[in-house]
Amino acid sequence: MPTYISLINFTQKGAEAIKDGPKRLEAAKQRFRDAGAELKAFYLVTGQYDAVSIVEAPNDEVVAKLALGTATLGFVRSQTCRAFAEDDYKKIVASL
């Protein structure tokens, strides 16, 4: 399955309710499973973003639906990009 990386920022609402964040993360994992995707990793980070997640999903449409659905809850904003593993990178470069 394709891999996606999301760069996440907490909204004001998310920051104010941060103690409930672990419960929301578990609920998100279930939403992802229900959609046929998997939240492979979640990291709290320092710097420009508050968190980073790594997701495997069957296609772009599923990950877009999940990102939009998560955004509607109002706790986070995210930027999501498709990630290519090293083997994929090598195949892409070899075809140039």
Side-chain angles (χ1 to χ4, degrees):
M1 270 198 286
T3 301
Y4 301 85
I5 297 172
S6 292
L7 307 172
I8 300 164
N9 284 111
F10 300 127
T11 62
Q12 183 66 35
K13 178 180 174 180
E16 290 170 356
I18 199 65
K19 288 187 177 185
D20 295 326
K23 291 178 193 172
R24 287 193 302 276
L25 179 58
E26 291 307 313
K29 288 179 183 180
Q30 186 60 52
R31 282 194 311 278
F32 280 55
R33 285 190 293 270
D34 292 346
E38 182 180 0
L39 180 59
K40 301 291 281 183
F42 175 87
Y43 299 95
L44 185 67
V45 298
T46 60
Q48 181 178 355
Y49 299 98
D50 297 316
V52 174
S53 68
I54 300 172
V55 173
E56 287 185 354
N59 55 51
D60 293 347
E61 290 80 10
V62 168
V63 82
K65 181 178 177 180
L66 289 165
L68 291 169
T70 299
T72 65
L73 300 174
F75 296 102
V76 298
R77 289 190 184 93
S78 65
Q79 297 178 32
T80 302
C81 56
R82 172 78 159 80
F84 295 89
E86 183 179 345
D87 287 344
D88 295 326
Y89 160 71
K90 290 175 181 177
K91 289 176 191 174
I92 292 166
V93 172
S95 68
L96 295 177

